Amino acid sequence: MASWSIHEVPVPESVDAPGAGPLLALTDVANRVIAHEWGNHDYDRTPQEVLGALRDQAYVRKPRFLVTDDDGTPLGYLAMLLPLQENTHTAYVEIGVLPEHRGQGIGSALHDHALDVARAAGRRSLTGSTDHRQEPPAGDGTLVPSTGTGRVAADAPAVRFVASRGWQLEQVARRSVLPVPVDPDVLAAHRAQAQAFAGDEYRIVHWGSAAPDEWVDEYATLNTRMSTDVPLGGLDFEEDVWDATRIRTTEAQFVDRGIELVVAAAEHVPTHTLAAYTVLMLPPENEEFVHQEDTLVLKEHRGRRLGMLVKAANLQRLAEVRPGARRVATWNAEENSYMLRINIDLGFAPSGGSGEWQLRLDA
């Protein structure tokens, strides 16, 4: 039987550089693994997008590893995120093995390697996800997280893999998909009703891939609060602090990756501050698919329908800037009933989800 080995993937100067082969192989094998899990190519990434993400490691260290056989054929991968500013006790782990090479111990070896990397970096807890195309019905054969909402199938291969290694299910996230464009009259009605409820104290402001200087500090505050004001289940996360420099660094990364952003925020007019925001991410080389990224209403401004206001406004903007878009996918904690209600009212439908897991290395 052929042997295999784990290699760290270097960050080349460009996707055309002589040493870019491992990066190209990493991109290809990750795309194939994820497409197998979801049955489509919506989550495919380009080599340039992967490279752009890896070139920016100012706030998060991003080691990547590739498993190859003796002939250099990629079999699987390991991706890790190790925060360098806050949450330096944690690391995020993503392991993928091509279906035809599973059952050979490759995933176990990658898992052991991830533990070694995390311990060497002084991390005491790991987080990771398992995906499912459909949430299983309630009953025997399912696992429920510490939040008490959502479930995963206990006999799913990925679930068995992490559970047998001591990982704890701390949260379940719902994936929802919205066909777009949404009827303009429907969106206009949602926005008008939400604006009427919010009143004249709130107004929508828009921007694209770069926040206006006027709002960059407020935008940083919203990103910071995204780490504290959303449901986290039993996941061990601390406040993640953003400032204007980090915003500009991250915006430059998105440009390098070829990604466009569409942002809508709600200004609290009396204080000239931002009370809510939502972000759509437009991937390169896929006109039809859009990622719904962060949506947040600050706790002190909740109860005014600002979540619906910013999301409806941003979907209106999406129809203008990306008329070829056909579906938007988003993820929300199953216990986040308010945001799930907004999504359902807009026309999002459940389409699978993920289990969010944690392994405490100091347990």
Side-chain angles (χ1 to χ4, degrees), residues 328-356:
V328 178
T330 187
W331 300 76
N332 302 97
E334 284 283 2
E335 67 267 32
N336 193 350
S337 59
Y338 178 74
M339 196 58 67
L340 290 173
R341 183 73 257 168
I342 292 173
N343 289 341
I344 291 169
D345 289 345
L346 285 168
F348 282 88
S351 184
S354 63
E356 304 302 321

Side-chain angles (χ1 to χ4, degrees), residues 85-219:
Q85 181 172 274
E86 284 83 30
N87 290 293
T88 56
H89 64 290
T90 66
Y92 177 80
V93 176
E94 178 183 318
I95 294 171
V97 179
L98 290 171
E100 61 270 28
H101 297 292
R102 293 174 185 174
Q104 303 175 32
I106 296 172
S108 296
L110 288 171
H111 184 270
D112 291 345
H113 193 71
L115 298 188
D116 290 342
V117 173
R119 289 191 175 107
R123 309 301 157 126
R124 67 175 184 266
S125 68
L126 304 181
T127 57
S129 303
T130 58
D131 293 333
H132 50 264
R133 295 191 200 181
Q134 290 184 327
E135 185 176 89
D140 294 340
T142 63
L143 300 177
V144 177
S146 55
T147 61
T149 54
R151 51 197 170 268
V152 300
D155 62 351
V159 171
R160 292 201 312 267
F161 181 90
V162 294
S164 67
R165 288 163 174 79
W167 292 69
Q168 300 296 312
L169 182 62
E170 300 290 3
Q171 191 177 57
V172 170
R174 182 189 303 180
R175 178 179 182 262
S176 304
V177 176
L178 172 70
V180 291
V182 178
D183 184 328
D185 292 338
V186 171
L187 275 184
H190 280 306
R191 180 173 178 175
Q193 291 166 8
Q195 184 68 70
F197 194 88
D200 294 338
E201 287 192 352
Y202 298 92
R203 74 177 184 96
I204 290 293
V205 293
H206 284 288
W207 63 83
S209 295
D213 290 342
E214 175 186 8
W215 295 118
V216 67
D217 290 324
E218 284 292 308
Y219 191 32

